[in-house]
């Protein structure tokens, strides 16, 4: 990162740090200092607030030093300038790539893992993130991301409205079935788009293989070898259980 | 214990480990995995140890330690592959190796360069191991004399020194990272009064943050994001027929090896610094001591040996404070601490009392790991290099999945994942803004030690800080901390310069008067 931008970020960070330390200290002041807690007469030096106060004080002091340095080195001025020209800011390609990765992670961790069969969660995550970056085509990545956003949106609506519980009465593993259908749809969609964009067929084939083989190795490894119950054991994991206990 | 008994335990440990073919398989497997992790840009020894920790959950302690030490040793050495072959250090530890390793490869001596890095790394690891054996009883015995004030100051020293030495921009950015780590460590019920701190009424936070998800988040997620963001690709690697051990060259460079090993062990023993700094310091020292410093940067064999010996001897150095004080000497050692705890081992001064043979077992494993690393390096390098051809856009998502499943599996809590990602994103932005991550991790690890010991010490002294100035170890620590902090104040820096100039001019005056006489 260039010096000017670094100092600009230092300015923002310093303000954030000072605000954070104020909050941290205010929370620490709510902790027992001299009064009795849990039958124990507290003194300032055994108070649970002691270390938080030191941390808060330290962060405030260092935040202030950082702020002074940022102002002195032109960080504040360049920040004000950046705010004025905020309309002209262009989102760079690396930033878009980072956002894509974060979005994939957020969907995977907060949406899929708690609600969808673990095998399918891994498979969907791997398929989306690999097809986004492996072909090295930004237009292809954008198309895949749009489809993934729609898919995740549907999943979010199902879960937040409680529709999935209603559907469960009609059909078991409804979310898993939807996720599986979505995975198949993504696969077909990516192949069609790849053909249109002259992306080698092999690319999508490799991604498909990886997105199936990796969970096929990891899920049994953790479930049967390390005896770790998986977050959501839906349709696919239940099927694995049937096979495993029948063979064993 | 006498002199012979530890030796007996050491060799018995080796025999016990070698007698089991499963251990040998695991040892070679983990070393090779470590080499792959080290050689792949974006993956590190720390991440390797983190991910393997999950898989060792079901193993017995000895086998788990074989796997973890194997991947650690392999991971630190593996970085030299890409450093030599494509001028891209696989890990920060091998950054200095690239300066002369790559020019050697360009001269058509890639095999020779890799032979040197392999042998130097193995020797460095063994020398580091010797120091672990020699220094552990001394440090352990000394640590048993420590009171709560010493432990508090030791933890504080660890955070301050790692912040000071790892910061690439402003020094206090390292301290800020350390304080953020300390804050993260205060989350949960405190261990003395069980008062809930910063839990927001969430029962999941009452037990505090699990160490492994925090470590995986802080080290794994930023690397995945950076590698994918930069669309990293390895170009054509330099060709080599076979790797030669180069014993003759190694023999000629014994002084360099010894000096670099001492540097590596010394830097490794300082909390949270790590192998990369050891490599750079060793490189600089080798250049200063060399008869031909002009050759450095053009393919100097001496430089390659110096950096690789230092970064691998750093492993032994990092193990010394980890085993005897419970303070990790490097980021991978921090990960190892989490693994130790997972297997019911509490590193610290009591380790030699609770498990008298454990340190010797670890050193035996280190020796075996260095042999396995050398054998793998000499005979399997061509196969390992093939792995580098796998595109990172395919490789990194798999690592991401491993990070997620690893964070979940250790506590079997989905909540750990909810924590891992924000910590990972925070670590990514912090590292982008030139805040070092190592102090943050050291802060998380040593936070509880800081909190408990400070309050316990003040409880004993009735709120007085006087004992700090009455005990030699704590007095030294507080002075070092004060100097480290004051060293960043411009007025103090000017005062230091004036003192230096005064001392120099005094010596010059004395020399002049002696000459006149």
């Amino acid at each position: 990162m260039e010096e000017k931008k670094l100092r600009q970020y230092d300015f923002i960070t310093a303000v954030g740090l000072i605000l954070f330390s104020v909050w941290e200290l205010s929370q620490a002041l709510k902790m027992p200092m001299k009064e009795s807690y849990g039958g124990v007469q507290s003194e300032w030096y055994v108070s649970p607030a002691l270390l938080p106060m030191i941390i808060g004080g330290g962060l405030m002091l260092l935040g202030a030093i950082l702020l002074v340095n940022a102002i002195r080195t032109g960080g504040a001025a360049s920040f004000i300038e950046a705010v004025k020209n905020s309309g002209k800011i262009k989102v760079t390609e690396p930033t878009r790539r980072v956002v894509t990765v974060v979005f994939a992670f957020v969907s995977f961790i907060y949406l899929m893992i708690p609600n969808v069969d673990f095998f399918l969660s891994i498979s969907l995550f791997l398929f989306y993130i690999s097809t986004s970056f492996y072909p090295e085509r930004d237009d292809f990545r954008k198309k895949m991301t749009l489809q993934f956003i729609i898919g995740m949106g549907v999943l979010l609506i199902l879960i937040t409205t409680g529709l999935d519980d209603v559907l469960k009465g009609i059909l078991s593993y409804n979310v898993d079935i939807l996720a599986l259908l979505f995975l198949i749809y993504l696969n077909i969609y990516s192949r069609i788009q790849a053909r249109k964009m002259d992306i080698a067929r092999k690319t999508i084939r490799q991604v498909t293989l990886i997105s199936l083989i990796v969970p096929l190795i990891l899920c049994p490894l953790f479930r049967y070898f390390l005896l770790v119950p998986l977050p959501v054991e839906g349709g696919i994991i239940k099927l694995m259980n049937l096979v495993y206990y029948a063979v064993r | 214990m006498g002199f012979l008994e530890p030796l007996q335990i050491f060799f018995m440990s080796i025999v016990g480990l070698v007698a089991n073919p499963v251990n040998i398989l695991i040892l070679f497997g983990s070393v090779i995995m470590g080499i792959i992790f080290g050689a792949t840009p974006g993956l590190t020894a720390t991440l390797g140890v983190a991910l393997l920790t999950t898989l060792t959950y079901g193993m017995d302690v000895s086998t788990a330690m074989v796997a973890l030490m194997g991947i650690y040793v392999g991971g630190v050495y593996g970085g030299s592959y890409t450093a030599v072959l494509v001028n891209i250090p696989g890990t920060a530890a091998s950054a200095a190796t690239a300066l002369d390793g790559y020019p050697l490869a360009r001269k058509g001596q890639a095999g020779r360069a890799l032979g040197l890095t392999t042998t130097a790394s193995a020797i460095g690891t063994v020398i580091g191991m010797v120091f672990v054996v020699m220094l552990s009883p001394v440090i352990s015995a000394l640590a048993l004399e420590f009171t709560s004030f010493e432990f508090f100051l030791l933890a504080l020293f660890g955070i301050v020194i790692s912040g000071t030495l790892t910061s690439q921009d402003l020094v206090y950015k390292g301290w800020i990272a350390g304080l953020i780590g300390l804050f993260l460590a205060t989350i949960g019920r405190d261990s003395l009064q069980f008062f809930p701190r910063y839990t927001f009424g969430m029962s999941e936070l009452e037990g505090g943050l699990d160490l492994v998800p925090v470590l995986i988040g802080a080290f794994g997620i930023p690397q995945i994001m950076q590698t994918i963001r930069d669309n990293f690709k390895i170009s054509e690697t330099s060709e080599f027929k076979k790797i030669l051990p180069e014993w003759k060259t190694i023999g000629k460079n014994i002084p360099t090896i010894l000096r670099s090993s001492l540097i590596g062990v010394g830097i490794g023993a300082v909390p949270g610094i790590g192998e990369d700094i050891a490599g750079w310091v060793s490189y600089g020292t080798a250049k200063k001591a060399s008869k031909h410093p002009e050759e450095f940067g053009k393919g100097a064999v001496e430089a390659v040996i110096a950096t690789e010996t230092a970064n691998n001897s750093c492993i032994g150095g990092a193990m010394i404070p980890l085993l005897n004080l419970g303070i990790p000497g490097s980021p991978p050692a921090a990960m190892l601490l989490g693994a130790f705890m997972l297997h019911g081992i509490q590193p610290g001064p009591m380790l030699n009392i609770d498990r008298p043979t454990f340190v010797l077992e670890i050193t035996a494993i280190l020796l075996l790991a260095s042999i396995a690393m050398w054998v793998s390096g000499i005979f399997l390098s061509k196969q390992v290099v093939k792995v580098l051809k796998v595109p990172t856009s395919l490789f990194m998502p798999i690592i991401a999945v491993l990070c997620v499943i690893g964070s979940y599996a250790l506590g079997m809590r989905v909540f750990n994942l909810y924590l891992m990602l924000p910590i990972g994103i925070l670590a990514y932005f912090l590292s982008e803004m030139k805040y070092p991550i190592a102090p943050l991790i050291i802060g998380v690890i040593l936070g509880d030690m800081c909190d408990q010991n400070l309050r316990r010490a003040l409880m004993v002294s009735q709120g007085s800080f006087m004992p700090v100035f009455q005990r030699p170890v704590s007095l030294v620590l507080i002075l070092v901390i004060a100097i480290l902090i004051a060293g960043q104040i411009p007025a103090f820096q000017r005062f230091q310069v004036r003192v230096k100039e005064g001392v120099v001019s005094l010596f010059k005056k004395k020399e002049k008067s002696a000459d006149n006489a």
Side-chain angles (χ1 to χ4, degrees):
Chain A
M1 199 183 280
E2 58 178 285
E3 184 73 16
K4 189 183 166 186
K5 214 166 184 116
L6 190 63
R7 298 299 156 237
Q8 189 182 312
Y9 283 122
D10 280 355
F11 175 75
I12 302 162
T13 317
V15 173
L17 269 175
I18 291 166
L19 292 173
F20 172 77
S21 58
V22 168
W23 169 82
E24 204 248 2
L25 284 168
S26 70
Q27 292 296 309
L29 288 169
K30 290 174 187 171
M31 294 174 194
M33 289 288 282
K34 296 279 286 181
E35 64 273 28
S36 163
Y37 175 74
V40 179
Q41 186 57 43
S42 205
E43 287 290 344
W44 69 265
Y45 49 82
V46 285
S47 164
L50 184 63
L51 189 67
M53 296 269 254
I54 293 168
I55 295 165
L59 280 175
M60 189 177 276
L61 178 70
L62 292 172
I65 293 167
L66 191 65
L67 185 70
V68 169
N69 184 67
I71 292 166
R72 212 183 277 165
T73 51
S78 67
F79 171 72
I80 292 160
E81 195 184 320
V83 169
K84 278 178 185 170
N85 301 326
S86 56
K88 296 173 192 172
I89 290 175
K90 272 189 175 179
V91 181
T92 59
E93 196 48 44
T95 307
R96 283 204 187 98
R97 292 169 77 89
V98 168
V99 170
T100 307
V101 176
V102 172
F103 169 63
F105 263 121
V106 169
S107 309
F108 183 41
I109 288 170
Y110 296 101
L111 205 54
M112 288 194 277
I113 286 179
N115 301 298
V116 182
D117 176 85
F118 196 59
F119 181 100
L120 288 167
S121 299
I122 294 175
S123 204
L124 266 170
F125 169 77
L126 279 176
F127 189 81
Y128 164 62
I129 203 166
S130 302
T131 46
S132 294
F133 296 107
Y134 186 42
E136 292 181 24
R137 290 280 296 267
D138 300 333
D139 48 354
F140 188 72
R141 193 186 72 232
K142 280 170 192 166
K143 282 186 188 300
M144 289 305 295
T145 301
L146 182 67
Q147 299 306 311
F148 199 72
I149 288 170
I150 293 165
M152 289 302 110
V154 170
L155 185 63
L156 187 67
I157 290 164
L158 271 179
I159 289 153
T160 50
T161 56
L163 260 174
D164 62 325
D165 287 331
V166 176
L167 287 171
K168 254 178 206 165
I170 306 160
L171 187 69
S172 300
Y173 309 123
N174 62 81
V175 176
D176 297 343
I177 291 164
L178 276 172
L180 182 63
L181 289 172
F182 181 54
L183 182 64
I184 293 164
Y185 163 75
L186 269 185
N187 204 302
I188 294 164
Y189 178 82
S190 64
R191 281 168 198 272
I192 293 165
Q193 292 304 320
R195 202 177 301 154
K196 278 182 188 171
M197 294 181 189
D198 288 333
I199 293 166
R201 274 181 176 183
K202 191 177 75 174
T203 308
I204 307 297
R205 206 180 321 134
Q206 283 174 339
V207 170
T208 307
L209 271 174
I210 281 171
S211 66
L212 293 173
I213 288 168
V214 171
L216 204 58
I217 293 167
L218 287 180
C219 291
L221 177 73
F222 279 86
R223 182 68 184 80
Y224 309 119
F225 173 66
L226 294 170
L227 306 174
V228 174
L230 300 172
V232 172
E233 299 192 352
I236 306 282
I237 305 288
K238 286 279 190 332
L239 193 68
M240 274 185 186
N241 286 347
L242 280 174
V243 173
Y244 176 75
Y245 291 114
V247 169
R248 207 180 66 157
Chain B
M1 268 195 222
F3 173 71
L4 286 173
E5 205 180 339
L7 268 179
Q8 193 185 356
I9 294 165
F10 179 73
F11 286 110
M12 286 302 287
S13 299
I14 291 175
V15 170
L17 290 165
V18 172
N20 187 351
V22 173
N23 281 340
I24 299 294
L25 270 175
I26 286 172
L27 176 70
F28 273 90
S30 58
V31 164
I32 291 165
M33 206 163 120
I35 294 171
I36 291 167
F37 263 78
T40 309
L43 301 181
T44 58
T46 313
L47 195 56
V49 175
L51 297 178
L52 194 65
T53 299
T54 319
L55 295 176
T56 63
Y57 189 62
M59 296 176 185
D60 66 85
V61 177
S62 294
T63 312
M65 289 309 125
V66 165
L68 293 167
M69 294 308 296
I71 203 166
Y72 185 5
V73 170
V76 173
Y77 153 73
S80 64
Y81 277 62
T82 35
V84 169
L85 299 173
V86 278
N87 200 22
I88 297 161
T91 58
S94 298
T97 309
L99 295 181
D100 286 81
Y102 186 63
L104 271 172
R106 291 290 301 271
K107 289 176 188 173
Q109 297 177 29
R112 186 187 179 213
L114 284 175
L116 287 169
T117 60
T118 306
T119 312
S121 296
I123 293 169
T125 310
V126 173
I127 294 174
M129 178 211 78
V130 171
F131 275 94
V132 174
V133 178
M134 283 187 340
L135 295 178
S136 284
V138 180
I139 290 171
S140 203
L142 183 73
L144 283 171
E145 302 295 316
F146 284 7
T147 61
S148 295
F149 267 124
E150 274 96 2
F151 277 113
F152 162 69
L153 289 168
L154 204 60
L156 195 65
F157 167 75
I159 294 160
V160 171
I161 189 115
S162 78
T164 306
L165 297 179
T166 57
S167 195
Q168 298 169 333
D169 185 26
L170 305 161
V171 166
Y172 46 85
K173 281 189 173 183
W175 302 342
I176 289 169
L179 285 172
I180 292 170
L182 272 179
F183 167 75
L184 290 173
T186 59
I187 293 171
R189 284 186 178 270
D190 84 279
S191 44
L192 291 186
Q193 291 186 14
F194 297 101
F195 184 84
R197 298 185 294 194
Y198 309 106
T199 57
F200 312 104
M202 293 162 81
S203 57
E204 290 95 340
L205 286 174
E206 296 222 338
L209 305 185
D210 277 0
L211 186 61
V212 174
V214 171
L215 290 174
I216 291 177
F219 286 117
I221 305 291
Q223 277 169 346
I224 291 160
M225 285 164 72
Q226 280 159 358
T227 311
I228 292 179
R229 179 199 64 194
D230 299 336
N231 192 17
F232 187 83
K233 280 200 290 288
I234 288 180
S235 55
E236 280 303 300
T237 56
S238 301
E239 287 299 315
F240 63 96
K241 281 193 176 74
K242 60 179 176 181
I243 286 185
L244 304 162
E246 286 275 335
W247 295 114
K248 207 184 242 181
T249 315
I250 292 289
K252 278 182 192 169
N253 285 284
I254 283 173
T256 306
I257 287 171
L258 291 174
R259 186 184 55 241
S260 303
S261 299
L262 286 172
I263 289 167
V265 171
I267 287 172
V270 178
I273 307 303
E275 292 78 11
D276 48 337
I277 291 174
W280 282 114
V281 172
S282 181
Y283 183 88
T285 315
K287 194 175 179 178
K288 273 180 190 166
S290 175
K291 287 172 187 169
H292 304 285
E294 72 284 353
E295 286 179 13
F296 276 61
K298 296 170 189 169
V301 164
E302 206 179 332
V304 171
I305 291 170
T307 54
E308 283 303 308
T309 308
N311 65 28
N312 268 74
S313 63
C314 195
I315 296 170
M319 295 304 289
I320 295 166
L322 174 69
L323 292 168
N324 301 296
L325 302 170
I327 297 172
S330 69
M335 210 46 252
L336 267 179
L337 178 66
F340 283 167
M341 287 170 171
L342 189 79
H343 287 279
I345 297 155
Q346 185 59 55
M350 293 300 289
L351 183 67
N352 276 329
I353 293 160
D354 295 338
R355 290 170 165 265
T357 62
F358 186 74
V359 173
L360 288 164
E361 281 169 28
I362 288 287
T363 50
I365 291 166
L366 260 177
L367 179 67
L368 290 174
S370 60
I371 294 166
M373 182 205 81
W374 189 83
V375 171
S376 306
I378 295 291
F379 298 106
L380 301 172
S381 52
K382 268 190 131 76
Q383 282 66 34
V384 170
V385 169
K386 281 175 189 169
V387 176
L388 298 177
K389 293 189 168 78
V390 177
T392 48
S393 46
L394 279 183
F395 202 70
M396 276 305 179
I398 298 170
I399 298 299
V401 169
L402 287 173
C403 284
V404 168
I405 202 166
S407 292
Y408 163 78
L410 288 172
M412 291 184 209
R413 298 196 311 166
V414 176
F415 188 77
N416 281 349
L417 302 179
Y418 298 164
L419 281 175
M420 181 199 73
L421 189 60
I423 286 168
I425 293 168
L426 172 76
Y428 168 78
F429 283 110
L430 285 176
S431 61
E432 284 299 295
M433 291 185 288
K434 300 269 192 298
Y435 286 83
I437 299 303
L440 185 139
I441 292 304
I442 297 288
V444 172
I445 290 169
L446 302 182
D448 197 42
M449 185 174 163
C450 245
D451 186 32
Q452 271 192 56
N453 285 293
L454 172 65
R455 287 156 70 194
R456 204 176 285 145
L458 289 171
M459 208 189 294
V460 172
S461 68
Q462 298 282 301
S464 166
F465 282 93
M466 275 317 286
V468 171
F469 306 101
Q470 290 163 344
R471 297 180 60 84
V473 176
S474 57
L475 187 63
V476 168
L477 284 169
I478 197 90
L479 280 173
V480 171
I481 292 166
I483 289 165
L484 280 170
I485 294 169
Q488 304 311 314
I489 300 165
F492 187 81
Q493 286 169 345
R494 284 195 295 271
F495 169 73
Q496 272 183 310
V497 170
R498 272 206 300 273
V499 169
K500 226 184 242 177
E501 283 169 353
V503 171
V504 169
S505 64
L506 194 75
F507 271 101
K508 277 182 179 173
K509 270 181 190 173
K510 275 188 178 178
E511 273 176 22
K512 266 187 183 177
S513 58
D515 288 343
N516 292 339

